[in-house]
Amino acid sequence: MNTHPDTVLIVDFGSQVTQLIARRVREAGVYSEIVPFQSAGEAFARLRPKAVILSGSPASTVDIGSPRAPDIVFSSGVPVLGICYGEQTMCAQLGGRVEAGHHREFGRAFLEVEGDCALFDGVWAKGTRHQVWMSHGDRVTAIPPGFRIVGTSPGAPFAAIADEARKYYAVQFHPEVVHTPDGAKLIANFVHRIAGIAGDWTMAAYRQQAVEAIRRQVGSGKVICALSGGVDSSVAALLIHEAVGEQLTCILVDHGLMRKDEAAGVVAMFREHYNLPLILVDASDRFISALEGEADPETKRKTIGRLFIEVFEEEARKLGGADFLAQGTLYPDVIESVSFTGGPSVTIKSHHNVGGLPERMNMKLVEPLRELFKDEVRVLGRELGLPEHFIGRHPFPGPGLAIRCPGGVTREKLAILREADAIYLDEIRKAGLYDAIWQAFAVLLPVQTVGVMGDGRTYEYVCALRAVTSVDGMTADFFHYDMAFLGAAATRIINEVRGINRVVYDVTSKPPGTIEWE
């Protein structure tokens, strides 16, 4: 049963920016959920949404077997907004026509507003011109009965169309991306003015609903929580503890891949400030021995995931058994772990057990954050009383330093990387930059170079520094340091960490997807 009565269902046809549609809807104070088009009919029946948004896609509607929206979307009477491919399939399914190879538009374009409509209310007026972001090779060449043109562009004569009687709207451009400056306002108009949803989805309401859902799921069962010390698992632990109290036991597994002094800091915070049962398991030898010499990043992730499961099984037995395993799975983890259109995204979060646990464990997953984006988890953390300095911590992946040590993993390389990473973060904090950066970390590259230090020749590793800015963890851009900072950080690392003689800065940006480095 859907616990969010005012839900917007987003049908994903495979666009790389579908997640941004969900973000814009939630920013408008309305709960949204993304489902792959293959299961959209089942999801519609389950969620009973108040509105539907059809996403973009790399597919072409003119191809046989290309994705389509389920018929229930158009027969139910709920408002529908089609975006890019979503507009094209809406037209194809409702009696219009789409053709391939007509005036492709990729990138910045300008929309001429040809008519007033509820989608544009208070944002764009008839006769005005506005920047939008296009990404299409096909285009609509005939609109279905009942629709009228409300916007055009040089490559799309039907760039925005509306059927007010049925509350159907469609745009060829992408309102969800920042390159369409007013796009978020258009989406807000759709959910508020057109769909009539109030916009009262708050984190306080989510907290209450989540606590009730956890109590229903867990009942009188025992829960063990995989506490990593990061924001996600910590918020999950506090939320579950609020719901079931002493039925919860937290387990922090020190796998030897954590940052310098991190395990001790986590234990101190939770034991001193929160009345949560916490067990610290030192499994560093076990993990590092299994990883030693392993170079393949996917094998590293799967090995770490398997060993985590084994450790939790053993600890559960020591506690006399457990019925549930809780973890801080987030919505991006869920999205990226499901291959919506047969692509490679299924491997991105393979260290998470998002799809379920091995049958032998005889435990069920509790994932109270799986509907939230990263920034929403931080808001929930504030609701639960976590200190601000902790909420603002940079994300740290479950596989830890193993994926920041490309190539074969060894104890020596991990020790070198741990020291370099600690110095880098220390310099960031001293410069007052920590809160301006979403995520920063050091990477020990599988490359050794000849260098001269003092009067001697060295043959040591290259260290890469990475820092990115992001809002939701789905997209990222590199942080623009000044050279004085980079010079100071590099000098300290080279001087203080034996084994590194060169430091480089990674200026890669990331599209939607993982922002980790491996």
Side-chain angles (χ1 to χ4, degrees), residues 144-200:
F147 282 84
R148 64 185 177 91
I149 301 169
V150 292
T152 62
S153 73
F158 305 103
I161 59 176
D163 179 344
E164 277 96 348
R166 292 184 287 181
K167 295 187 177 180
Y168 290 169
Y169 297 81
V171 294
Q172 186 61 74
F173 58 90
H174 286 271
E176 69 273 29
V177 301
V178 295
H179 306 85
T180 300
D182 295 318
K185 296 176 183 176
L186 301 184
I187 292 175
N189 269 352
F190 175 70
V191 297
H192 295 320
R193 294 174 183 257
I194 295 168
I197 304 174
D200 54 2

Side-chain angles (χ1 to χ4, degrees), residues 23 33 83 121 133 163 230 366 466 469 495:
R23 293 295 302 122
E33 190 164 322
I83 294 175
D121 277 356
W133 191 260
D163 179 344
V366 179
R466 178 139 172 83
T469 57
N495 286 342

Side-chain angles (χ1 to χ4, degrees), residues 4-73:
H4 306 286
D6 293 332
T7 295
V8 174
L9 174 65
I10 300 167
V11 179
D12 183 23
F13 294 115
S15 168
Q16 64 173 341
V17 292
T18 299
Q19 297 90 341
L20 296 181
I21 303 174
R23 293 295 302 122
R24 301 298 169 255
V25 174
R26 293 191 184 189
E27 286 166 6
V30 175
Y31 179 74
S32 61
E33 190 164 322
I34 299 171
V35 298
F37 70 91
Q38 299 97 323
S39 58
E42 176 277 326
F44 190 98
R46 172 174 54 86
L47 295 172
R48 291 177 291 180
K50 293 292 180 65
V52 173
I53 299 178
L54 308 177
S55 85
S57 175
S60 171
T61 57
V62 301
D63 291 341
I64 296 173
S66 57
R68 291 289 187 268
D71 292 339
I72 187 64
V73 167

Side-chain angles (χ1 to χ4, degrees), residues 269-283:
M269 186 185 80
F270 273 87
R271 285 184 176 163
E272 291 173 13
H273 300 288
Y274 298 98
N275 187 27
L276 292 180
L278 173 60
I279 297 171
L280 174 63
V281 180
D282 184 356

Side-chain angles (χ1 to χ4, degrees), residues 437-490:
I437 295 170
W438 168 267
Q439 186 181 45
F441 51 86
V443 177
L444 193 69
L445 299 180
V447 175
Q448 289 179 283
T449 63
V450 174
V452 176
M453 299 177 69
D455 296 322
R457 174 178 285 186
T458 63
Y459 186 62
E460 296 177 330
Y461 289 104
V462 177
C463 176
L465 304 181
R466 178 139 172 83
V468 297
T469 57
S470 183
V471 174
D472 50 26
M474 298 304 297
T475 58
D477 195 9
F478 67 91
F479 185 78
H480 293 255
Y481 286 124
D482 61 48
M483 292 305 297
F485 172 85
L486 287 174

Side-chain angles (χ1 to χ4, degrees), residues 207-498:
R207 174 184 180 179
Q208 182 179 352
Q209 291 171 354
V211 166
E212 293 170 356
I214 293 165
R215 287 173 180 161
R216 285 195 302 270
Q217 180 185 6
V218 170
S220 59
K222 286 185 181 179
V223 186
I224 56 174
C225 179
L227 184 64
S228 70
V231 177
D232 305 336
S233 63
S234 299
V235 170
L238 290 178
L239 190 63
I240 294 168
H241 188 255
E242 181 175 309
V244 299
E246 296 303 311
Q247 294 168 241
L248 170 70
T249 300
C250 294
I251 299 174
L252 173 61
V253 178
D254 183 355
H255 50 18
L257 306 170
M258 301 177 80
R259 284 176 152 155
K260 187 174 181 180
D261 300 326
E262 185 152 27
V266 172
V267 170
M269 186 185 80
F270 273 87
R271 285 184 176 163
E272 291 173 13
H273 300 288
Y274 298 98
N275 187 27
L276 292 180
L278 173 60
I279 297 171
L280 174 63
V281 180
D282 184 356
S284 53
D285 284 342
R286 182 174 182 174
F287 277 79
I288 296 173
S289 295
L291 291 167
E292 198 143 18
E294 181 55 61
D296 180 68
E298 185 61 14
T299 302
K300 291 179 187 178
R301 287 176 173 275
K302 289 182 176 177
T303 299
I304 292 166
R306 173 179 57 80
L307 290 175
F308 266 125
I309 289 295
E310 291 178 4
V311 171
F312 286 121
E313 282 184 298
E314 293 164 8
E315 294 303 315
R317 284 195 291 270
K318 292 177 185 177
L319 293 168
D323 305 291
F324 297 91
L325 173 63
Q327 60 183 24
T329 304
L330 303 189
Y331 199 33
D333 300 330
V334 176
I335 295 168
E336 293 167 358
S337 297
V338 177
S339 184
F340 283 1
T341 56
S345 63
V346 72
T347 66
I348 291 175
K349 297 288 184 180
S350 53
H351 63 284
H352 281 270
N353 302 292
V354 179
L357 298 171
E359 289 186 14
R360 70 172 191 275
M361 288 192 74
N362 198 30
M363 280 191 275
K364 296 179 180 178
L365 278 173
V366 179
E367 298 170 313
L369 310 181
R370 66 181 285 125
E371 295 177 343
L372 301 182
F373 287 91
K374 185 75 176 184
D375 54 319
E376 294 172 324
V377 172
R378 289 177 168 169
V379 176
L380 180 56
R382 293 185 182 97
E383 279 281 331
L384 293 166
L386 274 172
E388 196 62 37
H389 75 270
F390 186 83
I391 290 171
R393 293 181 68 186
H394 291 179
F396 190 66
L401 298 181
I403 61 167
R404 293 177 181 170
C405 189
V409 176
T410 67
R411 284 173 168 79
E412 178 194 17
K413 289 168 70 175
L414 289 171
I416 293 170
L417 175 56
R418 190 175 284 109
E419 290 300 318
D421 185 71
I423 291 170
Y424 179 37
L425 291 182
D426 184 54
E427 286 295 305
I428 288 172
R429 289 190 176 95
K430 286 179 178 176
L433 297 174
Y434 190 86
D435 291 338
I437 295 170
W438 168 267
Q439 186 181 45
F441 51 86
V443 177
L444 193 69
L445 299 180
V447 175
Q448 289 179 283
T449 63
V450 174
V452 176
M453 299 177 69
D455 296 322
R457 174 178 285 186
T458 63
Y459 186 62
E460 296 177 330
Y461 289 104
V462 177
C463 176
L465 304 181
R466 178 139 172 83
V468 297
T469 57
S470 183
V471 174
D472 50 26
M474 298 304 297
T475 58
D477 195 9
F478 67 91
F479 185 78
H480 293 255
Y481 286 124
D482 61 48
M483 292 305 297
F485 172 85
L486 287 174
T491 298
R492 269 198 70 189
I493 290 170
I494 292 170
N495 286 342
E496 298 178 30
V497 183
R498 186 175 296 276

